[in-house]
Amino acid sequence: MAVLDLIHGGMHRNDIAGNGAIAKFVANLRDHMARRAVYRQTLRELGALSNRELADLGLSRSNIRSVAYEAAWGTK
């Protein structure tokens, strides 16, 4: 326990786990992974469209990444 006290500046193991830091980290990680999955899926779907289909949607190939980013994380 003395080593743990030195590493964490005198905090005990229960104090560290008790504040929900690990739960917050896991929740943020899951949120990021879900958003990343939306980003990748949007990239795949838009990338599979022809130039004509993209033009019908008002997009060009250069817009695909920004549209995928907006779909996953909202506006910049």
Side-chain angles (χ1 to χ4, degrees):
M1 191 57 99
V3 174
L4 187 61
D5 287 343
L6 289 174
I7 292 172
H8 296 293
M11 296 179 74
H12 293 286
R13 177 181 282 179
N14 290 339
D15 294 336
I16 295 168
N19 68 8
I22 295 172
K24 289 178 191 175
F25 174 77
V26 171
N28 287 339
L29 183 62
R30 285 183 178 166
D31 180 58
H32 179 77
M33 290 172 59
R35 289 177 187 271
R36 183 74 179 158
V38 169
Y39 176 78
R40 287 191 320 264
Q41 181 68 27
T42 305
L43 281 179
R44 264 194 309 276
E45 290 177 5
L46 291 177
L49 297 176
S50 69
N51 289 338
R52 174 68 187 248
E53 292 168 326
L54 286 171
D56 288 344
L57 295 173
L59 300 173
S60 66
R61 295 236 171 251
S62 63
N63 299 111
I64 291 176
R65 287 182 189 258
S66 62
V67 169
Y69 182 90
E70 189 173 333
W73 284 281
T75 57
K76 292 183 181 179

Short mmCIF file of all heavy atoms in Angstrom, two decimals:
data_model
loop_
_atom_site.label_atom_id
_atom_site.label_comp_id
_atom_site.label_asym_id
_atom_site.label_seq_id
_atom_site.Cartn_x
_atom_site.Cartn_y
_atom_site.Cartn_z
N MET A 1 0.82 -1.19 0.00
CA MET A 1 0.00 0.00 0.00
C MET A 1 0.86 1.25 0.00
O MET A 1 0.45 2.26 -0.53
CB MET A 1 -0.93 -0.03 1.21
CG MET A 1 -2.01 1.03 1.16
SD MET A 1 -3.05 0.96 -0.29
CE MET A 1 -4.45 0.12 0.34
N ALA A 2 2.07 1.17 0.57
CA ALA A 2 2.94 2.34 0.62
C ALA A 2 3.34 2.77 -0.78
O ALA A 2 3.41 3.96 -1.07
CB ALA A 2 4.18 2.04 1.47
N VAL A 3 3.59 1.81 -1.67
CA VAL A 3 3.95 2.14 -3.04
C VAL A 3 2.79 2.82 -3.75
O VAL A 3 2.95 3.83 -4.43
CB VAL A 3 4.39 0.88 -3.82
CG1 VAL A 3 4.62 1.19 -5.27
CG2 VAL A 3 5.63 0.29 -3.18
N LEU A 4 1.60 2.31 -3.54
CA LEU A 4 0.41 2.91 -4.13
C LEU A 4 0.22 4.34 -3.62
O LEU A 4 -0.14 5.24 -4.37
CB LEU A 4 -0.83 2.07 -3.82
CG LEU A 4 -2.13 2.49 -4.49
CD1 LEU A 4 -1.97 2.42 -6.01
CD2 LEU A 4 -3.27 1.62 -4.04
N ASP A 5 0.48 4.55 -2.33
CA ASP A 5 0.38 5.89 -1.77
C ASP A 5 1.37 6.84 -2.42
O ASP A 5 1.04 7.99 -2.71
CB ASP A 5 0.61 5.86 -0.25
CG ASP A 5 -0.55 5.25 0.50
OD1 ASP A 5 -1.65 5.16 -0.10
OD2 ASP A 5 -0.37 4.87 1.66
N LEU A 6 2.58 6.38 -2.67
CA LEU A 6 3.59 7.23 -3.29
C LEU A 6 3.23 7.56 -4.73
O LEU A 6 3.38 8.69 -5.19
CB LEU A 6 4.96 6.54 -3.26
CG LEU A 6 5.62 6.44 -1.89
CD1 LEU A 6 6.89 5.61 -2.00
CD2 LEU A 6 5.93 7.82 -1.34
N ILE A 7 2.74 6.58 -5.46
CA ILE A 7 2.41 6.77 -6.87
C ILE A 7 1.26 7.75 -7.02
O ILE A 7 1.28 8.63 -7.87
CB ILE A 7 2.05 5.42 -7.53
CG1 ILE A 7 3.29 4.54 -7.61
CG2 ILE A 7 1.47 5.64 -8.92
CD1 ILE A 7 3.01 3.13 -8.07
N HIS A 8 0.26 7.64 -6.20
CA HIS A 8 -0.95 8.45 -6.36
C HIS A 8 -1.01 9.62 -5.38
O HIS A 8 -2.08 10.14 -5.11
CB HIS A 8 -2.19 7.57 -6.21
CG HIS A 8 -2.29 6.55 -7.29
ND1 HIS A 8 -2.53 6.88 -8.60
CD2 HIS A 8 -2.16 5.21 -7.26
CE1 HIS A 8 -2.54 5.78 -9.32
NE2 HIS A 8 -2.32 4.75 -8.54
N GLY A 9 0.11 10.02 -4.85
CA GLY A 9 0.14 11.19 -3.99
C GLY A 9 -0.65 11.05 -2.71
O GLY A 9 -1.31 11.99 -2.27
N GLY A 10 -0.63 9.87 -2.12
CA GLY A 10 -1.31 9.68 -0.84
C GLY A 10 -2.74 9.20 -0.96
O GLY A 10 -3.40 9.00 0.04
N MET A 11 -3.24 9.04 -2.17
CA MET A 11 -4.62 8.57 -2.33
C MET A 11 -4.64 7.05 -2.21
O MET A 11 -3.73 6.37 -2.65
CB MET A 11 -5.17 8.98 -3.70
CG MET A 11 -5.29 10.47 -3.87
SD MET A 11 -5.90 10.90 -5.49
CE MET A 11 -7.60 10.44 -5.34
N HIS A 12 -5.67 6.54 -1.63
CA HIS A 12 -5.82 5.10 -1.50
C HIS A 12 -6.55 4.55 -2.71
O HIS A 12 -7.24 5.27 -3.44
CB HIS A 12 -6.60 4.75 -0.23
CG HIS A 12 -5.84 5.09 1.01
ND1 HIS A 12 -4.77 4.36 1.43
CD2 HIS A 12 -5.98 6.13 1.88
CE1 HIS A 12 -4.28 4.91 2.53
NE2 HIS A 12 -4.99 5.99 2.82
N ARG A 13 -6.41 3.26 -2.94
CA ARG A 13 -7.01 2.61 -4.09
C ARG A 13 -8.53 2.85 -4.15
O ARG A 13 -9.08 3.12 -5.19
CB ARG A 13 -6.72 1.11 -4.06
CG ARG A 13 -7.39 0.37 -5.19
CD ARG A 13 -7.11 -1.09 -5.11
NE ARG A 13 -5.76 -1.32 -5.62
CZ ARG A 13 -5.20 -2.52 -5.68
NH1 ARG A 13 -5.84 -3.56 -5.24
NH2 ARG A 13 -4.00 -2.67 -6.17
N ASN A 14 -9.21 2.77 -3.03
CA ASN A 14 -10.65 2.98 -3.00
C ASN A 14 -11.02 4.40 -3.39
O ASN A 14 -12.06 4.64 -3.99
CB ASN A 14 -11.22 2.66 -1.62
CG ASN A 14 -11.16 1.17 -1.33
OD1 ASN A 14 -11.07 0.37 -2.26
ND2 ASN A 14 -11.19 0.82 -0.07
N ASP A 15 -10.20 5.37 -3.04
CA ASP A 15 -10.46 6.76 -3.41
C ASP A 15 -10.40 6.94 -4.93
O ASP A 15 -11.18 7.66 -5.51
CB ASP A 15 -9.46 7.70 -2.76
CG ASP A 15 -9.60 7.74 -1.24
OD1 ASP A 15 -10.71 7.42 -0.76
OD2 ASP A 15 -8.62 8.08 -0.57
N ILE A 16 -9.44 6.28 -5.56
CA ILE A 16 -9.27 6.42 -7.01
C ILE A 16 -10.43 5.76 -7.75
O ILE A 16 -11.02 6.35 -8.64
CB ILE A 16 -7.93 5.79 -7.45
CG1 ILE A 16 -6.77 6.58 -6.82
CG2 ILE A 16 -7.80 5.76 -8.95
CD1 ILE A 16 -5.44 5.90 -6.93
N ALA A 17 -10.77 4.53 -7.38
CA ALA A 17 -11.86 3.82 -8.06
C ALA A 17 -13.22 4.40 -7.69
O ALA A 17 -14.15 4.36 -8.48
CB ALA A 17 -11.81 2.34 -7.71
N GLY A 18 -13.34 4.98 -6.52
CA GLY A 18 -14.60 5.48 -6.04
C GLY A 18 -15.11 6.71 -6.76
O GLY A 18 -16.28 7.01 -6.75
N ASN A 19 -14.23 7.47 -7.41
CA ASN A 19 -14.67 8.70 -8.06
C ASN A 19 -15.23 8.46 -9.46
O ASN A 19 -15.63 9.41 -10.12
CB ASN A 19 -13.55 9.74 -8.09
CG ASN A 19 -12.40 9.35 -9.00
OD1 ASN A 19 -12.47 8.38 -9.73
ND2 ASN A 19 -11.33 10.12 -8.93
N GLY A 20 -15.25 7.24 -9.89
CA GLY A 20 -15.85 6.91 -11.19
C GLY A 20 -14.95 7.19 -12.37
O GLY A 20 -15.44 7.24 -13.50
N ALA A 21 -13.67 7.39 -12.15
CA ALA A 21 -12.75 7.71 -13.24
C ALA A 21 -12.70 6.57 -14.26
O ALA A 21 -12.67 6.83 -15.47
CB ALA A 21 -11.36 8.00 -12.71
N ILE A 22 -12.69 5.37 -13.80
CA ILE A 22 -12.62 4.22 -14.71
C ILE A 22 -13.91 4.11 -15.50
O ILE A 22 -13.90 3.89 -16.72
CB ILE A 22 -12.31 2.92 -13.94
CG1 ILE A 22 -10.90 3.02 -13.34
CG2 ILE A 22 -12.43 1.71 -14.85
CD1 ILE A 22 -10.55 1.90 -12.40
N ALA A 23 -15.04 4.30 -14.84
CA ALA A 23 -16.34 4.23 -15.53
C ALA A 23 -16.45 5.33 -16.58
O ALA A 23 -16.95 5.10 -17.68
CB ALA A 23 -17.47 4.35 -14.52
N LYS A 24 -15.97 6.53 -16.25
CA LYS A 24 -15.98 7.63 -17.22
C LYS A 24 -15.10 7.31 -18.41
O LYS A 24 -15.46 7.58 -19.56
CB LYS A 24 -15.52 8.92 -16.56
CG LYS A 24 -16.50 9.50 -15.60
CD LYS A 24 -15.93 10.76 -14.95
CE LYS A 24 -16.78 11.21 -13.79
NZ LYS A 24 -16.17 12.35 -13.07
N PHE A 25 -13.92 6.76 -18.13
CA PHE A 25 -13.00 6.40 -19.20
C PHE A 25 -13.63 5.37 -20.13
O PHE A 25 -13.58 5.52 -21.36
CB PHE A 25 -11.69 5.84 -18.62
CG PHE A 25 -10.75 5.32 -19.66
CD1 PHE A 25 -10.00 6.20 -20.42
CD2 PHE A 25 -10.63 3.96 -19.90
CE1 PHE A 25 -9.14 5.72 -21.39
CE2 PHE A 25 -9.79 3.47 -20.86
CZ PHE A 25 -9.02 4.37 -21.62
N VAL A 26 -14.24 4.35 -19.56
CA VAL A 26 -14.88 3.30 -20.37
C VAL A 26 -16.04 3.87 -21.17
O VAL A 26 -16.20 3.56 -22.36
CB VAL A 26 -15.32 2.12 -19.47
CG1 VAL A 26 -16.18 1.13 -20.25
CG2 VAL A 26 -14.11 1.42 -18.88
N ALA A 27 -16.83 4.74 -20.56
CA ALA A 27 -17.96 5.35 -21.27
C ALA A 27 -17.46 6.22 -22.43
O ALA A 27 -18.02 6.17 -23.54
CB ALA A 27 -18.79 6.19 -20.32
N ASN A 28 -16.41 7.00 -22.19
CA ASN A 28 -15.84 7.82 -23.27
C ASN A 28 -15.26 6.96 -24.38
O ASN A 28 -15.39 7.30 -25.56
CB ASN A 28 -14.77 8.76 -22.71
CG ASN A 28 -15.35 9.89 -21.90
OD1 ASN A 28 -16.53 10.22 -22.04
ND2 ASN A 28 -14.54 10.47 -21.04
N LEU A 29 -14.62 5.88 -24.01
CA LEU A 29 -14.05 4.97 -25.00
C LEU A 29 -15.14 4.34 -25.86
O LEU A 29 -15.03 4.29 -27.08
CB LEU A 29 -13.22 3.89 -24.31
CG LEU A 29 -12.50 2.91 -25.22
CD1 LEU A 29 -11.49 3.63 -26.10
CD2 LEU A 29 -11.81 1.85 -24.38
N ARG A 30 -16.21 3.90 -25.22
CA ARG A 30 -17.34 3.31 -25.98
C ARG A 30 -17.97 4.34 -26.90
O ARG A 30 -18.32 4.03 -28.04
CB ARG A 30 -18.38 2.75 -25.03
CG ARG A 30 -17.96 1.46 -24.40
CD ARG A 30 -19.05 0.91 -23.53
NE ARG A 30 -18.63 -0.37 -22.97
CZ ARG A 30 -19.23 -0.97 -21.98
NH1 ARG A 30 -20.29 -0.44 -21.43
NH2 ARG A 30 -18.78 -2.12 -21.53
N ASP A 31 -18.14 5.57 -26.42
CA ASP A 31 -18.70 6.63 -27.25
C ASP A 31 -17.81 6.91 -28.46
O ASP A 31 -18.30 7.01 -29.58
CB ASP A 31 -18.87 7.90 -26.42
CG ASP A 31 -19.46 9.04 -27.21
OD1 ASP A 31 -20.58 8.86 -27.75
OD2 ASP A 31 -18.80 10.10 -27.32
N HIS A 32 -16.52 6.98 -28.22
CA HIS A 32 -15.59 7.22 -29.33
C HIS A 32 -15.62 6.08 -30.34
O HIS A 32 -15.62 6.32 -31.55
CB HIS A 32 -14.16 7.41 -28.81
CG HIS A 32 -13.17 7.64 -29.89
ND1 HIS A 32 -13.04 8.84 -30.54
CD2 HIS A 32 -12.29 6.81 -30.48
CE1 HIS A 32 -12.12 8.75 -31.48
NE2 HIS A 32 -11.64 7.52 -31.46
N MET A 33 -15.66 4.85 -29.86
CA MET A 33 -15.70 3.70 -30.76
C MET A 33 -16.97 3.68 -31.58
O MET A 33 -16.95 3.36 -32.78
CB MET A 33 -15.54 2.40 -29.96
CG MET A 33 -14.15 2.22 -29.39
SD MET A 33 -13.99 0.83 -28.25
CE MET A 33 -14.45 -0.53 -29.28
N ALA A 34 -18.10 4.04 -30.97
CA ALA A 34 -19.38 4.08 -31.70
C ALA A 34 -19.35 5.17 -32.77
O ALA A 34 -19.79 4.96 -33.90
CB ALA A 34 -20.53 4.31 -30.74
N ARG A 35 -18.83 6.34 -32.40
CA ARG A 35 -18.74 7.43 -33.38
C ARG A 35 -17.78 7.08 -34.51
O ARG A 35 -18.04 7.39 -35.67
CB ARG A 35 -18.30 8.72 -32.69
CG ARG A 35 -19.36 9.31 -31.79
CD ARG A 35 -18.84 10.54 -31.07
NE ARG A 35 -19.76 11.04 -30.09
CZ ARG A 35 -20.71 11.94 -30.36
NH1 ARG A 35 -20.83 12.43 -31.57
NH2 ARG A 35 -21.53 12.34 -29.42
N ARG A 36 -16.69 6.43 -34.18
CA ARG A 36 -15.72 6.02 -35.20
C ARG A 36 -16.36 5.01 -36.15
O ARG A 36 -16.11 5.04 -37.36
CB ARG A 36 -14.49 5.43 -34.52
CG ARG A 36 -13.39 5.04 -35.44
CD ARG A 36 -12.67 6.23 -35.99
NE ARG A 36 -11.61 5.75 -36.86
CZ ARG A 36 -11.06 6.44 -37.80
NH1 ARG A 36 -11.39 7.69 -37.98
NH2 ARG A 36 -10.13 5.93 -38.56
N ALA A 37 -17.19 4.12 -35.63
CA ALA A 37 -17.88 3.14 -36.47
C ALA A 37 -18.84 3.85 -37.44
O ALA A 37 -18.93 3.47 -38.62
CB ALA A 37 -18.64 2.13 -35.62
N VAL A 38 -19.54 4.87 -36.96
CA VAL A 38 -20.43 5.65 -37.83
C VAL A 38 -19.61 6.33 -38.92
O VAL A 38 -19.99 6.33 -40.09
CB VAL A 38 -21.24 6.69 -37.02
CG1 VAL A 38 -21.95 7.68 -37.92
CG2 VAL A 38 -22.23 6.00 -36.10
N TYR A 39 -18.48 6.91 -38.54
CA TYR A 39 -17.60 7.59 -39.50
C TYR A 39 -17.14 6.61 -40.60
O TYR A 39 -17.26 6.89 -41.78
CB TYR A 39 -16.39 8.17 -38.76
CG TYR A 39 -15.37 8.81 -39.65
CD1 TYR A 39 -15.58 10.08 -40.18
CD2 TYR A 39 -14.18 8.16 -39.96
CE1 TYR A 39 -14.63 10.68 -40.99
CE2 TYR A 39 -13.23 8.76 -40.76
CZ TYR A 39 -13.46 10.01 -41.28
OH TYR A 39 -12.52 10.60 -42.09
N ARG A 40 -16.64 5.44 -40.19
CA ARG A 40 -16.15 4.46 -41.16
C ARG A 40 -17.26 3.94 -42.06
O ARG A 40 -17.09 3.78 -43.27
CB ARG A 40 -15.47 3.29 -40.43
CG ARG A 40 -14.14 3.64 -39.84
CD ARG A 40 -13.37 2.41 -39.36
NE ARG A 40 -14.20 1.43 -38.70
CZ ARG A 40 -14.36 1.32 -37.39
NH1 ARG A 40 -13.76 2.15 -36.58
NH2 ARG A 40 -15.12 0.39 -36.87
N GLN A 41 -18.45 3.68 -41.48
CA GLN A 41 -19.58 3.19 -42.27
C GLN A 41 -20.00 4.23 -43.29
O GLN A 41 -20.28 3.91 -44.45
CB GLN A 41 -20.76 2.83 -41.35
CG GLN A 41 -21.97 2.30 -42.07
CD GLN A 41 -21.74 0.94 -42.69
OE1 GLN A 41 -20.91 0.16 -42.23
NE2 GLN A 41 -22.45 0.65 -43.76
N THR A 42 -20.05 5.50 -42.89
CA THR A 42 -20.43 6.57 -43.81
C THR A 42 -19.41 6.69 -44.93
O THR A 42 -19.78 6.85 -46.10
CB THR A 42 -20.57 7.90 -43.06
OG1 THR A 42 -21.48 7.73 -41.98
CG2 THR A 42 -21.07 9.00 -43.97
N LEU A 43 -18.12 6.59 -44.59
CA LEU A 43 -17.08 6.62 -45.62
C LEU A 43 -17.26 5.49 -46.62
O LEU A 43 -17.17 5.68 -47.84
CB LEU A 43 -15.69 6.50 -45.00
CG LEU A 43 -15.07 7.73 -44.38
CD1 LEU A 43 -13.71 7.39 -43.79
CD2 LEU A 43 -14.94 8.85 -45.39
N ARG A 44 -17.53 4.28 -46.11
CA ARG A 44 -17.72 3.12 -46.98
C ARG A 44 -18.91 3.31 -47.91
O ARG A 44 -18.83 3.07 -49.12
CB ARG A 44 -17.93 1.86 -46.15
CG ARG A 44 -16.71 1.03 -45.92
CD ARG A 44 -17.03 -0.36 -45.39
NE ARG A 44 -17.91 -0.36 -44.23
CZ ARG A 44 -17.51 -0.19 -42.98
NH1 ARG A 44 -16.26 -0.01 -42.70
NH2 ARG A 44 -18.38 -0.23 -41.98
N GLU A 45 -20.03 3.75 -47.34
CA GLU A 45 -21.24 3.87 -48.14
C GLU A 45 -21.12 4.97 -49.20
O GLU A 45 -21.51 4.77 -50.36
CB GLU A 45 -22.44 4.13 -47.24
CG GLU A 45 -22.82 2.92 -46.41
CD GLU A 45 -23.98 3.19 -45.46
OE1 GLU A 45 -24.55 4.31 -45.51
OE2 GLU A 45 -24.31 2.29 -44.68
N LEU A 46 -20.60 6.11 -48.81
CA LEU A 46 -20.45 7.19 -49.79
C LEU A 46 -19.36 6.88 -50.81
O LEU A 46 -19.48 7.23 -51.98
CB LEU A 46 -20.15 8.52 -49.09
CG LEU A 46 -21.30 9.11 -48.27
CD1 LEU A 46 -20.84 10.37 -47.56
CD2 LEU A 46 -22.51 9.39 -49.15
N GLY A 47 -18.31 6.21 -50.37
CA GLY A 47 -17.24 5.83 -51.29
C GLY A 47 -17.68 4.83 -52.34
O GLY A 47 -17.11 4.76 -53.43
N ALA A 48 -18.70 4.06 -52.03
CA ALA A 48 -19.21 3.05 -52.96
C ALA A 48 -20.09 3.65 -54.05
O ALA A 48 -20.36 3.01 -55.06
CB ALA A 48 -19.98 1.97 -52.20
N LEU A 49 -20.55 4.88 -53.84
CA LEU A 49 -21.41 5.52 -54.83
C LEU A 49 -20.61 6.00 -56.03
O LEU A 49 -19.43 6.33 -55.91
CB LEU A 49 -22.14 6.72 -54.21
CG LEU A 49 -23.09 6.43 -53.05
CD1 LEU A 49 -23.65 7.73 -52.50
CD2 LEU A 49 -24.21 5.51 -53.49
N SER A 50 -21.27 6.04 -57.17
CA SER A 50 -20.61 6.57 -58.38
C SER A 50 -20.56 8.09 -58.30
O SER A 50 -21.25 8.72 -57.49
CB SER A 50 -21.39 6.13 -59.62
OG SER A 50 -22.64 6.81 -59.67
N ASN A 51 -19.76 8.69 -59.16
CA ASN A 51 -19.67 10.15 -59.21
C ASN A 51 -21.03 10.76 -59.54
O ASN A 51 -21.39 11.82 -59.03
CB ASN A 51 -18.62 10.60 -60.23
CG ASN A 51 -17.22 10.30 -59.75
OD1 ASN A 51 -16.97 10.16 -58.56
ND2 ASN A 51 -16.29 10.21 -60.69
N ARG A 52 -21.79 10.09 -60.39
CA ARG A 52 -23.12 10.58 -60.76
C ARG A 52 -24.07 10.57 -59.56
O ARG A 52 -24.81 11.52 -59.32
CB ARG A 52 -23.67 9.69 -61.90
CG ARG A 52 -25.09 9.95 -62.31
CD ARG A 52 -25.21 11.31 -62.97
NE ARG A 52 -26.59 11.66 -63.23
CZ ARG A 52 -27.12 11.76 -64.43
NH1 ARG A 52 -26.39 11.56 -65.49
NH2 ARG A 52 -28.37 12.08 -64.57
N GLU A 53 -24.03 9.48 -58.79
CA GLU A 53 -24.88 9.38 -57.61
C GLU A 53 -24.49 10.43 -56.56
O GLU A 53 -25.37 11.03 -55.92
CB GLU A 53 -24.81 7.97 -57.01
CG GLU A 53 -25.44 6.92 -57.90
CD GLU A 53 -25.12 5.52 -57.46
OE1 GLU A 53 -24.01 5.26 -56.97
OE2 GLU A 53 -26.00 4.65 -57.63
N LEU A 54 -23.19 10.64 -56.40
CA LEU A 54 -22.74 11.68 -55.46
C LEU A 54 -23.21 13.06 -55.93
O LEU A 54 -23.64 13.88 -55.12
CB LEU A 54 -21.21 11.66 -55.34
CG LEU A 54 -20.62 10.51 -54.53
CD1 LEU A 54 -19.11 10.49 -54.66
CD2 LEU A 54 -21.03 10.60 -53.08
N ALA A 55 -23.13 13.30 -57.24
CA ALA A 55 -23.57 14.59 -57.77
C ALA A 55 -25.07 14.78 -57.54
O ALA A 55 -25.51 15.90 -57.25
CB ALA A 55 -23.24 14.68 -59.26
N ASP A 56 -25.84 13.72 -57.64
CA ASP A 56 -27.28 13.80 -57.37
C ASP A 56 -27.55 14.21 -55.92
O ASP A 56 -28.56 14.85 -55.62
CB ASP A 56 -27.98 12.47 -57.66
CG ASP A 56 -28.09 12.17 -59.15
OD1 ASP A 56 -27.92 13.12 -59.96
OD2 ASP A 56 -28.36 11.00 -59.49
N LEU A 57 -26.64 13.83 -55.03
CA LEU A 57 -26.77 14.20 -53.62
C LEU A 57 -26.15 15.58 -53.32
O LEU A 57 -26.21 16.06 -52.20
CB LEU A 57 -26.08 13.16 -52.73
CG LEU A 57 -26.69 11.76 -52.73
CD1 LEU A 57 -25.80 10.80 -51.96
CD2 LEU A 57 -28.08 11.80 -52.14
N GLY A 58 -25.55 16.17 -54.34
CA GLY A 58 -24.91 17.47 -54.15
C GLY A 58 -23.52 17.36 -53.54
O GLY A 58 -23.04 18.29 -52.92
N LEU A 59 -22.88 16.19 -53.72
CA LEU A 59 -21.56 15.96 -53.15
C LEU A 59 -20.55 15.64 -54.24
O LEU A 59 -20.91 15.24 -55.34
CB LEU A 59 -21.61 14.77 -52.18
CG LEU A 59 -22.54 14.87 -50.97
CD1 LEU A 59 -22.58 13.54 -50.24
CD2 LEU A 59 -22.07 15.97 -50.06
N SER A 60 -19.30 15.80 -53.88
CA SER A 60 -18.22 15.32 -54.73
C SER A 60 -17.32 14.42 -53.87
O SER A 60 -17.49 14.36 -52.66
CB SER A 60 -17.41 16.48 -55.31
OG SER A 60 -16.74 17.17 -54.27
N ARG A 61 -16.40 13.76 -54.48
CA ARG A 61 -15.52 12.85 -53.73
C ARG A 61 -14.74 13.60 -52.66
O ARG A 61 -14.42 13.05 -51.61
CB ARG A 61 -14.55 12.14 -54.67
CG ARG A 61 -15.26 11.23 -55.62
CD ARG A 61 -14.74 9.80 -55.54
NE ARG A 61 -15.65 8.98 -56.33
CZ ARG A 61 -16.49 8.12 -55.79
NH1 ARG A 61 -16.52 7.94 -54.52
NH2 ARG A 61 -17.30 7.42 -56.55
N SER A 62 -14.43 14.86 -52.91
CA SER A 62 -13.67 15.62 -51.93
C SER A 62 -14.48 15.97 -50.68
O SER A 62 -13.91 16.34 -49.66
CB SER A 62 -13.12 16.91 -52.56
OG SER A 62 -14.18 17.74 -52.96
N ASN A 63 -15.79 15.83 -50.74
CA ASN A 63 -16.65 16.13 -49.59
C ASN A 63 -16.89 14.93 -48.68
O ASN A 63 -17.42 15.11 -47.57
CB ASN A 63 -18.04 16.61 -50.04
CG ASN A 63 -18.00 17.87 -50.84
OD1 ASN A 63 -18.28 17.83 -52.03
ND2 ASN A 63 -17.67 18.97 -50.20
N ILE A 64 -16.53 13.76 -49.12
CA ILE A 64 -16.92 12.54 -48.39
C ILE A 64 -16.41 12.53 -46.96
O ILE A 64 -17.16 12.25 -46.03
CB ILE A 64 -16.46 11.28 -49.16
CG1 ILE A 64 -17.27 11.14 -50.45
CG2 ILE A 64 -16.60 10.03 -48.30
CD1 ILE A 64 -16.85 9.99 -51.33
N ARG A 65 -15.16 12.87 -46.74
CA ARG A 65 -14.60 12.83 -45.38
C ARG A 65 -15.29 13.82 -44.46
O ARG A 65 -15.58 13.52 -43.31
CB ARG A 65 -13.10 13.07 -45.40
CG ARG A 65 -12.32 11.90 -45.93
CD ARG A 65 -10.83 12.19 -45.87
NE ARG A 65 -10.09 11.17 -46.56
CZ ARG A 65 -9.45 10.19 -45.95
NH1 ARG A 65 -9.47 10.12 -44.64
NH2 ARG A 65 -8.80 9.29 -46.65
N SER A 66 -15.55 15.02 -44.95
CA SER A 66 -16.18 16.01 -44.08
C SER A 66 -17.64 15.63 -43.78
O SER A 66 -18.13 15.86 -42.67
CB SER A 66 -16.11 17.41 -44.70
OG SER A 66 -16.79 17.46 -45.93
N VAL A 67 -18.32 15.03 -44.73
CA VAL A 67 -19.70 14.58 -44.49
C VAL A 67 -19.70 13.44 -43.47
O VAL A 67 -20.54 13.41 -42.57
CB VAL A 67 -20.37 14.15 -45.81
CG1 VAL A 67 -21.69 13.44 -45.57
CG2 VAL A 67 -20.57 15.35 -46.72
N ALA A 68 -18.75 12.53 -43.60
CA ALA A 68 -18.65 11.42 -42.65
C ALA A 68 -18.32 11.94 -41.24
O ALA A 68 -18.88 11.47 -40.25
CB ALA A 68 -17.60 10.41 -43.10
N TYR A 69 -17.43 12.92 -41.15
CA TYR A 69 -17.09 13.51 -39.86
C TYR A 69 -18.31 14.16 -39.22
O TYR A 69 -18.59 13.97 -38.04
CB TYR A 69 -15.98 14.54 -40.03
CG TYR A 69 -15.53 15.16 -38.72
CD1 TYR A 69 -14.51 14.59 -37.99
CD2 TYR A 69 -16.15 16.29 -38.22
CE1 TYR A 69 -14.11 15.14 -36.78
CE2 TYR A 69 -15.77 16.84 -37.01
CZ TYR A 69 -14.74 16.27 -36.30
OH TYR A 69 -14.37 16.81 -35.11
N GLU A 70 -19.05 14.90 -40.02
CA GLU A 70 -20.24 15.56 -39.52
C GLU A 70 -21.30 14.55 -39.08
O GLU A 70 -22.01 14.77 -38.09
CB GLU A 70 -20.82 16.49 -40.59
CG GLU A 70 -21.92 17.38 -40.08
CD GLU A 70 -22.36 18.41 -41.11
OE1 GLU A 70 -21.55 18.79 -41.97
OE2 GLU A 70 -23.52 18.82 -41.03
N ALA A 71 -21.41 13.44 -39.80
CA ALA A 71 -22.37 12.40 -39.43
C ALA A 71 -22.02 11.78 -38.07
O ALA A 71 -22.91 11.45 -37.29
CB ALA A 71 -22.42 11.32 -40.49
N ALA A 72 -20.74 11.66 -37.80
CA ALA A 72 -20.31 11.01 -36.55
C ALA A 72 -20.20 11.96 -35.37
O ALA A 72 -20.62 11.66 -34.27
CB ALA A 72 -18.96 10.32 -36.78
N TRP A 73 -19.62 13.14 -35.60
CA TRP A 73 -19.33 14.05 -34.49
C TRP A 73 -20.08 15.37 -34.54
O TRP A 73 -19.87 16.22 -33.70
CB TRP A 73 -17.83 14.33 -34.44
CG TRP A 73 -17.06 13.19 -33.86
CD1 TRP A 73 -16.94 12.88 -32.55
CD2 TRP A 73 -16.31 12.21 -34.57
NE1 TRP A 73 -16.15 11.76 -32.41
CE2 TRP A 73 -15.75 11.33 -33.62
CE3 TRP A 73 -16.05 11.98 -35.92
CZ2 TRP A 73 -14.97 10.26 -33.98
CZ3 TRP A 73 -15.26 10.91 -36.26
CH2 TRP A 73 -14.74 10.05 -35.30
N GLY A 74 -20.91 15.57 -35.54
CA GLY A 74 -21.64 16.82 -35.65
C GLY A 74 -20.83 17.86 -36.42
O GLY A 74 -19.78 17.56 -36.97
N THR A 75 -21.31 19.08 -36.40
CA THR A 75 -20.62 20.12 -37.16
C THR A 75 -19.28 20.48 -36.52
O THR A 75 -19.09 20.31 -35.33
CB THR A 75 -21.48 21.40 -37.26
OG1 THR A 75 -21.79 21.83 -35.94
CG2 THR A 75 -22.76 21.14 -38.01
N LYS A 76 -18.40 20.98 -37.34
CA LYS A 76 -17.05 21.31 -36.87
C LYS A 76 -17.02 22.54 -36.03
O LYS A 76 -17.73 23.41 -35.99
CB LYS A 76 -16.11 21.50 -38.05
CG LYS A 76 -15.86 20.21 -38.78
CD LYS A 76 -14.89 20.42 -39.90
CE LYS A 76 -14.66 19.13 -40.65
NZ LYS A 76 -13.77 19.24 -41.73
#
